[in-house]
């Protein structure tokens, strides 16, 4: 019996640790050959010396289990490095079929304290990094389709966050980048559908090096044999599914995933509508319509996703 991803090749960025590692291992378990990308810097803020160790360690795990994998050390926020990453997948495995964008850093600060560099660095790694790899993967798939290849197969899985859905007071850069990734995903889904490519985004909750303080105090496993409710291993199967032929009808979607739960997030919907009684609104008319409307809402409903505020941030 063949595996769901047998014969396919995949790139996973930021795959040396945490979520990316779990996703790379899952794709390999499902039969994919994997390019394991990781810059290897030890600090969750992107600081420290780059190292091939994390990526090569995951490659060794995949090979030990009988899979195929190759390491790529590089910063995907660099345009030419992203080109080289896609080129590596094609040269090693003949083509690229799956792109999982996961690489990211944190530079947490309140908006009134954040420096320009703290803003730029997070937007660069998360949002530009997602764009760079998506761009070169899209060029690859479109080129094959334009050359007359039938049945081009492409899957993109991007990593957003509930910080974008609910806001995160100490992470304006991160929340903005993750919101941008959703916009990039839906635009890409529309642009590439005709070539046989889908693009979806996930909002994972997982206890990793980047989120260790976020989930401090949250439920932990009762024993060493019990799976952590916030383990990355709860997220990886959804990535495997979205990368598979079974998900051909899933495109432009946003899914929240953690601890044995997957939630499909609706696109924003109109909750109320007001029309002017005259040719154009005036301040007075808007005040008479909108002020009472918002005053009538229950506490907390003026924010879009109160339930998601379980992601506590100082």
């Amino acid at each position: 019996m063949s595996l769901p991803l047998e014969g396919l090749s995949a790139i996973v960025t930021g795959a040396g640790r945490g979520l990316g590692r779990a996703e790379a291992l899952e794709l390999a378990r499902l039969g994919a050959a994997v390019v394991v990308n990781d810059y290897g810097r030890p600090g969750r803020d992107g600081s420290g010396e780059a190292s091939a160790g994390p990526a090569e360690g995951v490659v060794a795990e995949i090979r030990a289990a009988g899979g195929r994998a190759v390491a790529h050390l590089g910063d995907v926020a660099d345009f030419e490095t992203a080109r080289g990453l896609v080129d590596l997948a094609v040269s090693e495995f003949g083509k690229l079929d799956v792109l999982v964008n996961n690489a990211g850093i944190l530079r947490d600060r309140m908006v009134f304290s954040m420096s320009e560099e703290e803003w730029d660095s997070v937007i660069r790694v998360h949002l530009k990094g997602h764009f760079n790899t998506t761009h070169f993967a899209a060029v690859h798939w479109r080129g094959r389709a334009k050359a007359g290849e039938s049945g081009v197969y492409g899957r993109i899985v991007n990593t957003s966050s509930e910080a974008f859905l609910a806001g995160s007071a100490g992470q304006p850069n991160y929340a903005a980048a993750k919101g941008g990734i959703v916009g990039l995903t839906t635009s890409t889904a529309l642009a590439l559908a005709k070539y046989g490519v889908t693009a979806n985004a996930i909002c994972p909750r997982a206890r990793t090096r980047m989120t260790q303080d976020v989930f401090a105090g949250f439920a932990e496993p009762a024993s060493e044999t019990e799976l952590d409710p916030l383990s990355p291993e709860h997220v990886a199967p959804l990535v495997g599914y979205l990368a598979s032929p079974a998900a051909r009808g899933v495109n432009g979607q946003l899914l929240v995933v953690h601890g044995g739960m997957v939630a499909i997030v609706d696109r924003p919907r109109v909750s109320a509508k007001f029309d002017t009684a005259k040719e154009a609104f005036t301040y007075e008319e808007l005040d008479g319509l909108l002020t009472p409307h918002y005053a009538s809402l229950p506490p907390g409903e003026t924010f879009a996703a109160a339930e998601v505020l379980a992601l506590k941030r100082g």
Side-chain angles (χ1 to χ4, degrees):
M1 183 175 179
S2 63
L3 296 170
L5 303 184
E6 189 171 320
L8 302 181
S9 66
I11 289 170
V12 183
T13 72
R17 305 176 179 93
L19 274 171
R21 171 183 171 274
E23 291 162 353
L25 292 174
E26 177 68 3
L27 295 183
R29 188 188 71 80
L30 295 175
V34 184
V35 179
V36 178
N37 161 265
D38 200 282
Y39 204 9
R41 287 184 166 176
R44 66 177 189 166
D45 61 352
S47 63
E49 289 296 320
S51 168
E56 290 178 348
V58 176
V59 167
E61 289 185 77
I62 292 172
R63 290 176 176 173
R68 292 194 298 157
V70 63
H72 179 272
L73 173 67
D75 176 10
V76 292
D78 178 82
F79 197 64
E80 291 305 316
T81 297
R83 184 200 302 271
L85 174 58
V86 172
D87 287 348
L88 177 62
V90 175
S91 64
E92 286 287 327
F93 304 124
K95 59 186 172 59
L96 173 66
D97 301 295
V98 178
L99 170 64
V100 179
N101 283 310
N102 176 73
I105 64 170
L106 293 178
R107 299 283 178 90
D108 293 355
R109 196 85 65 187
M110 302 294 281
V111 69
F112 44 77
S113 302
M114 181 164 288
S115 69
E116 181 181 17
E117 190 277 332
E118 288 166 337
W119 172 270
D120 287 349
S121 61
V122 169
I123 298 296
R124 176 183 177 274
V125 174
H126 287 273
L127 187 51
K128 188 184 177 188
H130 273 60
F131 162 74
N132 287 347
T133 54
T134 296
H135 167 77
F136 288 111
V139 168
H140 170 69
W141 289 318
R142 182 174 181 268
R144 287 165 52 190
K146 291 290 186 180
E149 182 178 335
S150 61
V152 172
Y153 185 102
R155 298 285 187 270
I156 299 172
V157 183
N158 289 332
T159 306
S160 183
S161 170
E162 291 171 293
F164 135 74
L165 288 171
S168 183
Q171 296 180 304
N173 47 5
Y174 181 76
K178 292 306 189 182
I181 286 167
V182 174
L184 171 64
T185 303
T186 54
S187 175
T188 301
L190 290 172
L192 299 186
K194 64 183 177 181
Y195 302 119
V197 178
T198 66
N200 296 286
I202 63 170
C203 293
R205 292 187 205 177
R207 202 188 313 270
T208 68
R209 183 173 57 103
M210 283 183 62
T211 62
Q212 56 191 359
D213 60 329
V214 178
F215 294 119
F218 278 69
E220 298 194 13
S223 68
E224 291 185 3
T225 59
E226 181 182 340
L227 185 63
D228 186 345
L230 289 171
S231 168
E233 281 68 31
H234 285 295
V235 175
L238 177 61
V239 173
Y241 166 75
L242 292 173
S244 76
R248 65 180 61 87
V250 184
N251 196 26
Q253 298 296 300
L254 177 64
L255 302 99
V256 177
V257 54
H258 62 88
M261 185 281 294
V262 172
I264 300 170
V265 179
D266 279 343
R267 296 194 181 196
R269 294 181 293 176
V270 175
S271 62
K273 181 176 178 291
F274 302 94
D275 297 308
T276 181
K278 303 176 183 178
E279 185 178 7
F281 277 114
T282 64
Y283 165 83
E284 289 77 14
E285 187 180 15
L286 289 170
D287 180 31
L289 292 170
L290 299 183
T291 301
H293 169 74
Y294 283 109
S296 69
L297 294 178
E301 285 197 13
T302 52
F303 291 93
E307 179 184 339
V308 182
L309 293 177
L311 277 179
K312 60 182 182 179
R313 258 296 158 183

